[in-house]
Amino acid sequence: MNQVDRNPDPEAERMRIIRGRNRVFGVLLIGFAVLIFAISIAKMA
């Protein structure tokens, strides 16, 4: 079994991987923003 048989559309696979990575980075960015917000609220209190 060669590479072409296993993955008939490498561009679609590449885009799927990129979308997954973008979701992870988005979640991390939102989590970091929430963390900074929580720290700033805690410092004010």
Side-chain angles (χ1 to χ4, degrees), residues 6-37:
R6 190 176 65 86
N7 191 359
D9 192 0
E11 187 64 27
E13 179 71 12
R14 182 174 172 269
M15 292 306 294
R16 185 187 66 79
I17 292 169
I18 290 172
R19 278 194 302 271
R21 190 178 301 149
N22 285 343
R23 282 190 198 110
V24 169
F25 280 124
V27 168
L28 287 175
L29 183 62
I30 290 170
F32 184 69
V34 169
L35 180 65
I36 296 298
F37 181 72

